[in-house]
């Protein structure tokens, strides 16, 4: 069974879980979701870092056989590897899955293990995001140990969220403070990561982690001085998009590449998609109008309405394929997008979190289908404006 309640959209289901568990004790909440089969198969994702022992201890006391995914990036401190083995043994964890990056991918993209020096995003994708995605395939949801007090994008996270794969992510410690963690560790006499005593308050890969001062943020030692705060496994820095339609949010089902207009293939290659800027002259697309299956129009800034005009012109030219708006477009503009001839709007995960599904659905009700259907009716040659 999956997390999804068939009577609710995923976003609404997540909202209902947040309301249901808002005031529930953390251990009770964990027990309920781990032992209730209707929540689907769950995994705990743990770095075996500075405070990981708290969640690992809670989970071990509920179900020692729960899969624990440990991401070994092959760049970790040797102390982390030693601590991981000791902790798994002490807590009696029965199913720790140590996942590593693909050997072929490392040889191809980071054969000298130095990628972290010049492209930390690509390195995190190779060594964290991609292996985790593979490891989580088949799970209904996963548990993470992030806390709001850690700052940045974590400040506003909920107990339950949707990840980039539209899988439910549970953050049982979201509301915990640093003192709460320290109290739990002391009360239960749990062993700390050996580097915690040396000023490491957040512990990741060795090349990208330094100790922090007493007045610094907990995660200030991660990718110090680089302006990077997350590895990408939590906030979809590996770009993931949501499609907004009249029926609500949906996964992006478009799998083919988008071409720029200048790079449209000269021979027919099957499905054809093109990316256009809002100021693109519609008439330049005339010879392609019957061949293109998807046009994606980019809105460069919120106040730039040229994308709407382009959509209207494309429909008037007789374009009947799929038409998508992307970029700086928000829920308030959905009705306008639909009236202009767009079928859907592409937004990223961050915007979907800030403007959840009900916002967009409310806007969808204002759609002017008649006008749009009129635009979509292919005109005769004589009716075409160009
Ligand atoms: S934290 Fe550093 S070493 Fe680890 S995967 Fe990311 S960039 Fe690479």
């Amino acid at each position: 069974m999956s997390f999804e309640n068939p009577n609710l959209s995923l976003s609404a289901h997540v909202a209902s879980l947040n309301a249901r568990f808002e005031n529930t004790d953390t251990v009770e909440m964990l027990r309920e979701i781990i032992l209730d089969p209707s929540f689907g198969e769950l995994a705990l994702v743990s770095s075996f870092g500075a405070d990981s022992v708290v969640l690992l201890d809670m989970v071990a006391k509920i179900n020692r056989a729960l899969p624990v995914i440990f991401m070994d990036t092959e760049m970790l401190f040797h102390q982390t590897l030693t601590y991981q083995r000791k902790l798994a043994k002490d807590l009696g964890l029965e199913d720790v899955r140590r996942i590593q990056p693909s050997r072929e991918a490392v040889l191809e993209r980071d054969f000298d293990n130095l990628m972290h020096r010049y492209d930390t995003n690509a390195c995190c994708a190779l060594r964290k995001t991609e292996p985790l995605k593979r490891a989580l395939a088949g799970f209904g949801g996963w548990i993470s140990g992030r806390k709001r007090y850690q700052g940045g994008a974590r400040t506003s996270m909920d107990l339950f969220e949707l990840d980039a794969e539209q899988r439910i992510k549970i953050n049982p410690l979201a509301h915990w403070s640093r003192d709460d963690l320290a109290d739990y560790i002391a009360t239960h006499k749990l062993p700390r990561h050996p580097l915690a005593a040396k000023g490491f308050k957040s512990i990741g890969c060795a090349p990208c982690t330094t100790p922090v001062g007493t007045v610094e943020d907990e995660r200030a030692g991660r990718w110090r001085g680089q302006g990077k705060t997350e590895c990408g496994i939590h906030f979809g820095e590996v770009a993931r998009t949501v499609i907004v339609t009249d029926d609500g949010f949906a996964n992006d089902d478009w799998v083919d590449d988008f071409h720029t207009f200048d790079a449209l293939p000269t021979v027919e290659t099957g499905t054809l998609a093109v990316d256009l800027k809002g100021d693109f002259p519609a008439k330049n697309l005339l010879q392609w109008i019957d061949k293109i299956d998807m046009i994606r129009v980019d809105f460069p800034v919120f106040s730039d309405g040229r994308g709407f005009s382009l959509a209207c012109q494309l429909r008037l030219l007789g374009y009947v394929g799929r038409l998508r708006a992307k970029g700086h477009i928000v829920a308030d503009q959905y009705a306008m997008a639909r009236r202009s001839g767009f079928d859907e709007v592409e937004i990223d995960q961050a915007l979907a979190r800030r403007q959840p599904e009900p916002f967009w659905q409310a806007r969808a009700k204002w759609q002017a289908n008649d006008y749009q259907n009129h635009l979509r009716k292919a005109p005769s040659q004589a009716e075409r404006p160009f």
Side-chain angles (χ1 to χ4, degrees), residues 47 128 146-154 178 201-204 208-212 216-225 228-232 234-235 237:
S47 63
K128 291 186 175 183
R146 294 175 306 145
K147 280 79 63 182
R148 290 184 193 126
Y149 80 84
Q150 292 175 311
R154 300 183 181 203
R178 166 135 294 289
K201 291 184 183 167
S202 173
I203 303 168
C208 302
T209 308
T210 56
V212 295
E216 282 188 304
D217 282 348
E218 188 165 279
R219 288 176 61 82
R222 306 288 295 274
W223 305 283
R224 189 178 281 282
K228 177 178 165 76
T229 57
E230 297 283 350
C231 59
H234 293 295
F235 287 95
E237 281 146 306

Side-chain angles (χ1 to χ4, degrees), residues 73 75 116 119-120 123-124 127-128 205 207-208 223 228 231:
T73 61
M75 291 283 174
H116 61 87
D119 192 343
T120 50
C123 184
C124 284
R127 295 178 181 277
K128 291 186 175 183
C205 295
C208 302
W223 305 283
K228 177 178 165 76
C231 59

Side-chain angles (χ1 to χ4, degrees), residues 260-321:
T260 60
F261 176 72
D262 295 336
L264 279 170
T266 50
V267 290
E268 290 206 19
T269 57
T271 312
L272 193 55
V274 61
D275 261 330
L276 300 178
K277 297 286 182 200
D279 59 355
F280 182 85
K283 62 183 178 186
N284 290 3
L285 213 63
L286 197 49
Q287 62 166 312
W288 296 92
I289 215 77
D290 300 324
K291 301 185 178 71
I292 295 176
D293 304 282
M294 164 74 101
I295 295 176
R296 190 168 61 170
V297 178
D298 185 32
F299 286 67
V301 291
F302 172 72
S303 56
D304 187 338
R306 287 176 292 182
F308 299 122
S309 306
L310 176 58
C312 280
Q313 288 171 6
L314 290 168
R315 292 304 189 196
L316 288 168
L317 280 178
Y319 175 66
V320 293

Side-chain angles (χ1 to χ4, degrees), residues 102-161:
S102 142
R103 185 87 338 254
E104 295 75 30
V106 169
L107 288 174
E108 188 183 327
R109 288 145 61 184
D110 191 18
F111 70 96
D112 53 5
N113 293 333
L114 292 177
M115 190 193 263
H116 61 87
R117 290 192 185 173
Y118 55 86
D119 192 343
T120 50
N121 285 338
C123 184
C124 284
L126 170 68
R127 295 178 181 277
K128 291 186 175 183
T129 316
E130 294 168 12
L132 181 63
K133 187 176 171 187
R134 286 193 294 273
L136 283 175
F139 282 100
W142 55 294
I143 303 166
S144 117
R146 294 175 306 145
K147 280 79 63 182
R148 290 184 193 126
Y149 80 84
Q150 292 175 311
R154 300 183 181 203
T155 311
S156 57
M157 70 182 170
D158 286 322
L159 282 174
F160 294 83
E161 299 176 316

